[in-house]
Amino acid sequence: MSGASDLKNAKLAIIGLGYVGLPLAVAFGKIRPVVGFDINAARIAELREGRDSTREVEPDQLAAAAQLTFTTDTTEIADCNIYIVTVPTPIDGHKRPDLRPLLAASETVGRVLKPGDIVIYESTVYPGATEENCVPVLERASGLHFNRDFFVGYSPERINPGDKEHRLETIVKVTSGSTPEVADKVDALYSEIVTAGTHKAPSIKVAEAAKVIENTQRDLNIALMNELAIIFNRLGIDTQDVLEAAGTKWNFLPFRPGLVGGHCIGVDPYYLTFKAQAVGYHPEVILAGRRINDGMGAYVAGRMVKEMIRKGIQINGARVLVMGLTFKENCPDLRNTKVVDVIRELEDYGMRVDVHDPWADPDEARTLYGIELVERPAMGGYDGVMVAVGHDSFGKKGAASLRCHGRRLHVLFDVKAVFAVDEADARV
């Protein structure tokens, strides 16, 4: 191996500068030459100005990455030796894996690939995708032969958007490579920045499988909590009270019910079920959990409607304020947010819905969902107020403050249990 064989002098290219790629580029950019590449010119422009719209990296952290440069020009990554691909892996309208961003990134890398180079994938995929789907694209675009001229690795991302405690450097990194020698090099590379340590998997498929089951496990645990919430509601029991009581046992897992969106938990299980079905197995438990979680938007909206009816509020034409649109608290990420399901369902009941979210980008909300965010919701103008996302700023305002947006007769629905049981009219 030449090129990347000299790990100390290797130059990196990070392909895709979103929630995963940018923190990675910044971490490496503090210690070695790195080129951050993205096809989004606006994204590159803001990063060059020292701004990160995802709010994952602070301006001082960007400035500290002295050896990091940004580009949309593929010729500027041609002299790199290690390429790390961190593009999204979404699902399509039929809930099937959409590998187009991943394969397009592989095509881009393949056009500049040289003998001795290493391509590392971090994007979540089903077991086998790196070698079965990405490697052929690299070979075709480069004219080189896999594991003779170039090599690949897989090191799944474990970024948790909005989490300031569990960061790239403090989460154990799983690594792997297409040969034992490359596996060692990939592991050594990440060991430069990950203080929590690394775990070298025995194969790329094992590393791929480990990643995809992490979020599948969380999805199933939350699905159980959501199903319990539906049962307890019918029994007239507050779910949060039950979970707090059960949580006094040392081995009870602290999962909570809610809307399951985002780019990981609500998407990754479909990658595993797709591959399982491709090899002739129908995964019943995983898909059952997905059905429960995918249906929570309609359930939450239905609960809101019932609470309003109990108070004698006319549903058709009612005005509702939804607080929060992002897929999780204290994070601007709008991808696959299930709050949209709640909004659409309320609108189907004939309600007029306003949405307020200080974390969300108004242009992105408009582009992705056709939703016009309300910057300053009217006081005293709503028949219902729903706290759909548990942003800290909502909790700090307090339930009484949020009730000021409601009419004399209104419902305050606390989806995320931000407030005490006696402060809201209903919780999930």
Side-chain angles (χ1 to χ4, degrees), residues 20 89 124 157-161 211-212 214-216 218-219 260-271 290 327 333 335-336:
V20 175
T89 43
T124 302
E157 58 89 2
R158 283 177 163 174
I159 293 294
N160 187 26
K211 169 56 183 177
V212 81
E214 290 174 16
N215 289 322
T216 300
R218 285 179 54 77
D219 192 44
V260 184
H263 184 62
C264 295
I265 300 178
V267 172
D268 294 355
Y270 287 119
Y271 274 75
R290 279 282 75 232
F327 91 90
D333 196 347
R335 292 176 298 174
N336 196 36

Side-chain angles (χ1 to χ4, degrees), residues 84-384:
I84 304 180
V85 178
T86 60
V87 299
T89 43
I91 53 176
D92 63 19
H94 300 287
K95 302 187 186 304
R96 297 175 303 196
D98 182 359
L99 296 179
R100 287 178 298 177
L102 189 64
L103 298 181
S106 299
E107 178 78 25
T108 296
V109 172
R111 290 198 295 266
V112 296
L113 206 57
K114 305 173 299 300
D117 287 353
I118 298 174
V119 184
I120 304 170
Y121 291 89
E122 290 211 4
S123 306
T124 302
V125 291
Y126 48 75
T130 299
E131 291 158 296
E132 297 166 10
N133 298 89
C134 299
V135 165
V137 175
L138 293 172
E139 287 188 315
R140 184 172 63 252
S142 67
L144 303 176
H145 293 282
F146 174 52
N147 273 349
R148 187 190 74 186
D149 303 320
F150 72 92
F151 307 85
V152 301
Y154 184 80
S155 181
E157 58 89 2
R158 283 177 163 174
I159 293 294
N160 187 26
D163 189 338
K164 300 303 180 183
E165 179 182 354
H166 301 97
R167 310 299 295 169
L168 168 65
E169 296 86 353
T170 61
I171 304 172
V172 174
K173 199 81 163 73
V174 174
T175 66
S176 63
S178 56
T179 70
E181 181 185 4
V182 170
D184 289 341
K185 291 184 183 301
V186 172
D187 193 72
L189 178 69
Y190 283 104
S191 295
E192 296 178 352
I193 60 170
V194 180
T195 57
T198 60
H199 175 88
K200 186 168 60 175
S203 70
I204 287 176
K205 281 187 178 181
V206 167
E208 292 168 326
K211 169 56 183 177
V212 81
I213 71 165
E214 290 174 16
N215 289 322
T216 300
Q217 182 186 65
R218 285 179 54 77
D219 192 44
L220 285 170
N221 276 299
I222 298 171
L224 174 60
M225 296 301 108
N226 281 334
E227 189 163 61
L228 291 175
I230 295 171
I231 295 170
F232 293 148
N233 175 55
R234 295 194 176 193
L235 294 174
I237 306 172
D238 183 74
T239 304
Q240 301 300 325
D241 286 347
V242 175
L243 295 179
E244 287 175 15
T248 58
K249 189 179 181 186
W250 79 92
N251 60 353
F252 186 82
L253 300 177
F255 287 93
R256 292 291 184 269
L259 302 170
V260 184
H263 184 62
C264 295
I265 300 178
V267 172
D268 294 355
Y270 287 119
Y271 274 75
L272 184 57
T273 58
F274 171 84
K275 189 64 175 180
Q277 290 167 331
V279 294
Y281 179 77
H282 181 72
E284 297 184 20
V285 173
I286 298 173
L287 288 175
R290 279 282 75 232
R291 284 193 294 272
I292 292 172
N293 287 340
D294 276 347
M296 281 303 289
Y299 172 75
V300 167
R303 283 284 311 278
M304 180 74 167
V305 169
K306 288 179 180 179
E307 293 300 324
M308 293 174 70
I309 291 174
R310 285 193 184 100
K311 285 199 173 187
I313 299 172
Q314 173 69 34
I315 299 303
N316 190 26
R319 292 190 65 197
V320 174
L321 173 63
V322 172
M323 305 285 286
L325 181 62
T326 62
F327 91 90
K328 65 179 291 188
E329 64 277 0
N330 308 321
C331 169
D333 196 347
L334 289 171
R335 292 176 298 174
N336 196 36
T337 175
K338 293 304 178 182
V339 180
V340 171
D341 293 354
V342 179
I343 295 168
R344 301 302 183 224
E345 192 75 11
L346 292 174
E347 290 174 337
D348 284 346
Y349 280 102
M351 298 186 186
R352 293 176 293 161
V353 182
D354 286 346
V355 184
H356 170 70
D357 193 324
W359 278 87
D361 179 80
D363 292 334
E364 190 175 0
R366 186 181 306 112
T367 300
L368 291 178
Y369 304 111
I371 292 175
E372 295 289 341
L373 295 180
V374 176
E375 185 177 356
R376 293 182 178 84
M379 306 301 287
Y382 296 97
D383 302 289

Side-chain angles (χ1 to χ4, degrees), residues 4-58:
S5 59
D6 183 4
L7 192 61
K8 181 179 178 181
N9 297 317
K11 184 176 180 180
L12 272 60
I14 309 297
I15 313 300
L17 297 173
Y19 286 88
V20 175
L22 182 62
L24 189 68
V26 168
F28 276 121
K30 295 176 182 178
I31 61 173
R32 61 164 67 237
V34 178
V35 181
F37 175 88
D38 201 291
I39 59 174
N40 186 337
R43 176 67 167 159
I44 294 300
E46 73 171 44
L47 292 174
R48 284 173 174 170
E49 293 173 358
R51 297 182 295 105
D52 171 28
S53 58
T54 70
R55 307 192 202 183
E56 288 297 299
V57 178
E58 299 297 329

